[in-house]
Amino acid sequence: MLQCIAFALRTTYHTTLSATPGQVVFGRNMIVSATYIANWQFVYERRRRCQLIDDKQENKGRLPHQYKVSHLVHVTDKDAKQKLKSKSGPFKIAI
């Protein structure tokens, strides 16, 4: 049973890698006996593009602000489980 699960994980296509983990690790297709050569530069560039898109989406709601020394700020912490926001502060910005 465990071997079947491991095989399923190794043969599942990942969009970030543009390949299966089995192809990347073992250098061949796990279902058909065909060799596979990973293009690591492409994988790196694709992951970087995805990260930039995610960052842009996350930062879309933020307001631009230039903080200066002696400004007071609050830090908001969002609890993922309870979805509550708690604020702490104010904190004074120092050098």
Side-chain angles (χ1 to χ4, degrees), residues 45-69:
E45 290 170 0
R46 181 175 172 87
R47 286 186 70 191
R48 186 67 185 138
R49 280 194 308 271
C50 290
Q51 287 173 344
L52 291 175
I53 290 170
D54 290 344
D55 289 347
K56 187 175 182 180
Q57 179 68 23
E58 185 177 332
N59 293 331
K60 188 168 55 173
R62 295 185 180 180
L63 299 174
H65 183 75
Q66 296 295 323
Y67 295 101
K68 297 180 182 173
V69 175

Side-chain angles (χ1 to χ4, degrees), residues 2-15:
L2 186 59
Q3 291 175 343
C4 293
I5 294 170
F7 182 78
L9 288 172
R10 291 183 191 124
T11 57
T12 303
Y13 183 82
H14 290 258
T15 55

Side-chain angles (χ1 to χ4, degrees), residues 23-35:
Q23 288 174 326
V24 173
V25 173
F26 301 116
R28 67 180 190 89
N29 193 319
M30 299 297 290
I31 298 172
V32 180
S33 185
T35 58

